[in-house]
Amino acid sequence: MVKSKQKIATMKELSEAIGISRPTLSRFFQDQSAVRPSTSRKIRERLAEVDYVYNFIATRQNRKLSGLIGVIIPHYNDLFFTSLLEAIESAARKTGYTVITQSSDGKAKGEAQAVARLRSMSADGAIIAPLGLDSSIEAFQIAREDFPIVFADSRPAEPVDGTDFVGTDNAQSIAAVVDYLCRTGEPPAFLGMPPLNSNAVERERAYAGKMRSLGLEPRIVATGGARESWQFEAFGHGVMNDHFSHQRYTSETILCANDRIAIGAIRAANEHELFLRRGEPHSGLRIAGHDDHPLSQYMYPAVTTAAQDIEGIGQEALRLLIERIRGERMDDSVTVLREAALKIREST
Amino acid sequence: MVKSKQKIATMKELSEAIGISRPTLSRFFQDQSAVRPSTSRKIRERLAEVDYVYNFIATRQNRKLSGLIGVIIPHYNDLFFTSLLEAIESAARKTGYTVITQSSDGKAKGEAQAVARLRSMSADGAIIAPLGLDSSIEAFQIAREDFPIVFADSRPAEPVDGTDFVGTDNAQSIAAVVDYLCRTGEPPAFLGMPPLNSNAVERERAYAGKMRSLGLEPRIVATGGARESWQFEAFGHGVMNDHFSHQRYTSETILCANDRIAIGAIRAANEHELFLRRGEPHSGLRIAGHDDHPLSQYMYPAVTTAAQDIEGIGQEALRLLIERIRGERMDDSVTVLREAALKIREST
DNA sequence: CGCGATTGTTTACACGTGTAAAAAAACTGG
DNA sequence: CCAGTTTTTTTACACGTGTAAACAATCGCG
């Protein structure tokens, strides 16, 4: 059994129990070095003996800054977004900010609600991976008057004044993959992602541009009536299973807009036994992805892909946001694009 | 350009702009039906024309209940936990609670910090997927005096008074898989997960118990010096790659403690070309998992597994927590175990 | 020891909302 | 239109902390 410590609810009680004035304690909790070392030591010694958790809500009531940073992602069920989230959290930990995460649940309404919640919680700023085409620009514009916003990964269809963007340079990353694929085999066709956000548009455009610059004709894989969906694996599997069943694309090179689609496509290819084994002649089918999903290397064959610099994107987004929170920068808008690194694996 | 609405910062301003007293507005925001219908309509009409977000922090300052429920998971980078999180969020949405998620980052210290943060934010209660063996029982016990706690998925090494638990009935789920495997082929050996939490212990025990009850000798796959790690795929891959390289387990049945380990093991098997193709004689190697990870069905071969009732676990955990928050139940401790459903796929 | 500089205390008010009590106003049914 | 009921307004205080100002105590230094 644990010796239960004396429970202290308010700072006032604490100041009495410890023999120090409340305002001094208030200063101590905001910055230990703001009080005399001997006082600081005295406070910490007594603090270790009692159970006091200062009231965050009351704390933030009067400060202009709440120390809270909101992060909004479309889904928790996507390891790309959770990786981004962890990168941001880890960076925030170092700078003393607390992260409040909200999922928009893939819906514009959820996104607007998440923004409103951050506003009502007096967040100092927000890093948002927006839904994209669906996003309510108005909600962002209004929120922008309350706190700075940095978009990460993807950006809204229309620009929002005074917001920054950090993402991957899709032109560079896609070009790198296309380049590699053309150098080592047949030029790729492109299996786009459902038109959910700016990446969907940019990557398809980057593919077409790179192909033309190589003097090749871009070819887009028909996705039939597949409707918008965040279930990328099912999407990739459904589309390619249909094609393979009709003997289409069975010995070509396919570049998927992201790894989750590639995982679905690879599954379809395996069902049709299109990947051959060591020692057998190469069937010609190659499938590449984009993002370096954590499980891509465990697929069989492992997915060739472009690894986004998620760590860098998270750090940079936080850095830009904090600059704005501190009022160190009032620019209209900053865009930071990070390069992705080609990861050559077995699938190509 | 959007017509920018009149911005209203406080409820007092709002009450003046709308011609209604502030206390009445306060009542309106807590329960629309607490004011006369004509008043309610009048408020809503004016509300639509202005930009007012009520201050969550000030709101929660005086209420005994904050409407906040904390969820703590070990990692965001695990689709099992994010599925659980989404289940809880979706259930919370329906009951009007707001979810605050914290990751413990796989460390006892992070877990204690997360609990402290929830306490300082005056959360009404917490649903915690604990680290397990590492967890600081003391932090839970102290927090338990502030708000009710329900553990989900796994439970701390020592019981904590007045907390509930909702999880999967490992004895049932593991027995179902073992049963199926024995019925359809060779009895399985067990590849445990690193001893991180109660599930690690329970599943291994459930395996051994079921095997003995079938009159069979349990066999545990040696994991060598592999140290504790949440990187389950790498763990499963590393352990099995080592065995396969020495021609061990190459034509046996292996039950993995979870799907992420199975995914790693399957990758290792594929590298060694141990799974044969349709038409070829069966090699004998079978690998099963547990949890029904979202990507399990996209592996090749797709993973035979036991699907946890994550939706049910999330709902039930929230229900128990709300009961306690409302003071409807003061029991010492309740344990709810949900059954898992056998998913037979290609890997066995 | 006495000076100015630093650090601490006291006091008082602020933040934006909840809430209780009493008074006023608006409804309801007849 | 009245009495009775319900709803709203008014008034006042509460929550736990931040913060400013004036003052008191302590420190470092010569």
Side-chain angles (χ1 to χ4, degrees):
Chain A
M1 192 56 195
V2 183
K3 190 181 67 189
S4 71
K5 299 173 173 178
Q6 185 193 352
K7 187 151 184 186
I8 292 193
T10 73
M11 204 181 261
K12 182 150 168 280
E13 285 178 40
L14 182 63
S15 77
E16 288 158 5
I18 200 173
I20 288 212
S21 77
R22 193 182 61 76
T24 302
L25 276 179
S26 175
R27 287 230 309 277
F28 170 86
F29 281 115
Q30 289 172 66
D31 181 5
Q32 300 212 0
S33 67
V35 302
R36 203 179 308 153
S38 63
T39 311
S40 170
R41 190 163 36 77
K42 182 172 159 192
I43 296 176
R44 274 176 314 204
E45 280 169 6
R46 290 291 287 123
L47 217 44
E49 299 164 8
V50 298
D51 176 33
Y52 168 72
V53 175
Y54 82 130
N55 186 318
F56 188 88
I57 289 180
T59 302
R60 308 302 154 149
Q61 172 105 37
N62 295 329
R63 293 194 189 160
K64 347 84 233 25
L65 262 36
S66 67
L68 238 41
I69 284 185
V71 175
I72 301 177
I73 58 176
H75 281 103
Y76 285 117
N77 271 336
D78 186 316
L79 292 180
F80 174 78
F81 291 122
T82 59
S83 301
L84 179 60
L85 175 56
E86 293 215 334
I88 294 170
E89 281 216 343
S90 135
R93 236 188 297 274
K94 285 170 196 148
T95 56
Y97 280 92
T98 301
V99 170
I100 297 288
T101 311
Q102 298 282 311
S103 143
S104 54
D105 200 27
K107 304 182 197 114
K109 196 176 159 199
E111 196 170 61
Q113 284 174 345
V115 171
R117 206 166 292 139
L118 294 182
R119 289 219 286 157
S120 78
M121 309 216 340
S122 312
D124 291 341
I127 297 176
I128 304 178
L131 290 176
L133 308 187
D134 268 357
S135 288
S136 158
I137 309 286
E138 188 184 355
F140 294 148
Q141 281 170 333
I142 293 179
R144 183 59 191 81
E145 292 171 20
D146 276 11
F147 51 60
I149 293 176
V150 175
F151 292 106
D153 178 50
S154 132
R155 41 190 153 185
E158 298 170 40
V160 179
D161 284 350
T163 62
D164 304 320
F165 171 67
V166 185
T168 286
D169 184 350
N170 286 311
Q172 175 267 332
S173 62
I174 292 287
V177 183
V178 171
D179 221 35
Y180 159 76
L181 292 174
C182 291
R183 211 167 56 231
T184 55
E186 291 300 307
F190 186 79
L191 173 52
M193 60 198 272
L196 292 162
N197 60 30
S198 63
N199 287 323
V201 180
E202 286 179 17
R203 287 180 195 167
E204 183 157 335
R205 191 173 302 155
Y207 160 77
K210 180 63 183 178
M211 287 290 280
R212 292 213 182 82
S213 86
L214 292 173
L216 299 164
E217 192 56 30
R219 288 177 309 140
I220 306 295
V221 177
T223 55
R227 65 184 187 291
E228 295 185 18
S229 160
W230 287 88
Q231 288 164 43
F232 296 127
E233 294 89 0
F235 170 83
H237 178 266
V239 168
M240 293 317 297
N241 186 50
D242 188 50
H243 284 304
F244 293 149
S245 298
H246 294 82
Q247 304 302 320
R248 293 190 296 262
Y249 294 108
T250 55
S251 59
E252 303 191 32
T253 298
I254 298 159
L255 171 55
C256 302
N258 68 42
D259 279 0
R260 292 184 56 194
I261 293 173
I263 286 171
I266 286 176
R267 165 75 201 179
N270 273 320
E271 287 172 8
H272 290 268
E273 296 191 356
L274 297 173
F275 287 116
L276 303 182
R277 302 218 149 170
R278 279 199 282 275
E280 305 182 33
H282 197 280
S283 72
L285 175 65
R286 300 190 300 167
I287 296 179
H290 190 286
D291 289 356
D292 196 20
H293 185 283
L295 290 189
S296 289
Q297 57 183 305
Y298 291 99
M299 293 300 109
Y300 195 74
V303 190
T304 289
T305 189
Q308 294 200 47
D309 179 15
I310 298 189
E311 204 71 26
I313 292 175
Q315 284 172 12
E316 191 68 11
L318 188 68
R319 198 182 62 74
L320 289 176
L321 188 65
I322 291 178
E323 271 185 16
R324 278 213 129 98
I325 289 173
R326 293 197 181 134
E328 295 168 6
R329 193 164 49 78
M330 313 290 285
D331 313 70
D332 251 16
S333 227
V334 171
T335 294
V336 176
L337 296 183
R338 314 279 303 195
E339 296 210 338
L342 185 63
K343 296 264 178 188
I344 299 171
R345 301 211 180 99
E346 303 153 348
S347 69
T348 60
Chain B
M1 191 55 196
V2 182
K3 189 181 69 189
S4 71
K5 299 174 173 177
Q6 184 193 351
K7 186 148 183 185
I8 292 192
T10 74
M11 204 181 261
K12 181 148 169 282
E13 284 177 40
L14 182 63
S15 77
E16 287 159 4
I18 200 175
I20 287 211
S21 77
R22 191 181 64 74
T24 302
L25 277 178
S26 174
R27 286 231 307 281
F28 170 85
F29 281 114
Q30 289 172 67
D31 180 6
Q32 300 212 359
S33 67
V35 303
R36 206 180 306 153
S38 63
T39 310
S40 169
R41 192 164 34 78
K42 183 172 159 192
I43 296 176
R44 273 176 313 203
E45 280 169 8
R46 290 291 288 122
L47 217 45
E49 300 164 7
V50 299
D51 176 33
Y52 168 71
V53 175
Y54 81 130
N55 186 317
F56 188 89
I57 289 180
T59 302
R60 308 301 154 150
Q61 172 105 38
N62 294 329
R63 294 194 189 160
K64 349 81 235 31
L65 263 36
S66 65
L68 239 43
I69 284 184
V71 176
I72 302 177
I73 58 176
H75 285 283
Y76 286 116
N77 271 336
D78 186 315
L79 292 182
F80 174 78
F81 291 123
T82 58
S83 301
L84 180 61
L85 175 55
E86 293 214 334
I88 295 171
E89 281 215 344
S90 136
R93 238 188 295 274
K94 285 169 198 152
T95 55
Y97 280 92
T98 300
V99 170
I100 296 289
T101 312
Q102 299 282 312
S103 143
S104 53
D105 201 27
K107 302 180 198 118
K109 195 177 162 198
E111 196 169 61
Q113 284 173 343
V115 171
R117 208 167 290 140
L118 293 183
R119 289 219 287 157
S120 77
M121 308 215 344
S122 312
D124 291 341
I127 297 176
I128 304 179
L131 290 176
L133 308 187
D134 268 356
S135 289
S136 158
I137 309 286
E138 189 184 354
F140 295 147
Q141 281 170 333
I142 293 178
R144 182 59 191 79
E145 294 171 20
D146 276 11
F147 50 60
I149 293 177
V150 175
F151 292 105
D153 176 52
S154 130
R155 41 191 154 185
E158 296 171 41
V160 179
D161 283 349
T163 62
D164 303 321
F165 170 68
V166 184
T168 287
D169 183 351
N170 287 312
Q172 175 267 332
S173 63
I174 292 287
V177 183
V178 172
D179 221 34
Y180 159 76
L181 292 173
C182 291
R183 211 167 55 233
T184 55
E186 291 300 307
F190 186 80
L191 174 51
M193 58 196 274
L196 292 162
N197 60 29
S198 63
N199 288 323
V201 180
E202 286 179 16
R203 288 182 194 166
E204 182 157 335
R205 193 172 302 155
Y207 160 78
K210 179 65 183 175
M211 287 291 279
R212 291 212 182 83
S213 86
L214 292 173
L216 298 164
E217 193 56 31
R219 288 178 308 140
I220 306 297
V221 177
T223 56
R227 66 185 185 290
E228 294 184 21
S229 159
W230 287 88
Q231 289 164 42
F232 295 127
E233 294 88 0
F235 170 82
H237 179 266
V239 169
M240 291 317 298
N241 186 50
D242 188 49
H243 283 303
F244 293 149
S245 297
H246 294 81
Q247 304 301 322
R248 293 190 296 261
Y249 294 107
T250 54
S251 59
E252 302 191 32
T253 298
I254 298 159
L255 171 55
C256 302
N258 69 41
D259 279 0
R260 292 184 56 194
I261 293 173
I263 286 171
I266 286 176
R267 164 76 202 178
N270 274 319
E271 287 173 6
H272 289 267
E273 295 192 359
L274 297 175
F275 288 115
L276 303 182
R277 302 216 151 175
R278 280 198 282 276
E280 304 183 34
H282 196 282
S283 72
L285 176 64
R286 301 189 300 167
I287 296 178
H290 189 286
D291 291 355
D292 197 19
H293 186 285
L295 291 190
S296 290
Q297 57 183 305
Y298 292 99
M299 294 299 110
Y300 195 76
V303 189
T304 289
T305 189
Q308 294 200 47
D309 178 15
I310 298 189
E311 204 71 24
I313 291 175
Q315 284 171 14
E316 191 67 11
L318 188 67
R319 197 182 63 73
L320 288 177
L321 187 65
I322 291 178
E323 272 186 15
R324 278 214 131 97
I325 289 174
R326 293 197 181 133
E328 296 168 4
R329 192 163 49 77
M330 311 290 285
D331 313 72
D332 249 18
S333 226
V334 171
T335 295
V336 176
L337 297 182
R338 313 280 303 194
E339 295 210 338
L342 185 63
K343 296 264 179 189
I344 299 172
R345 300 210 180 98
E346 303 153 348
S347 69
T348 60

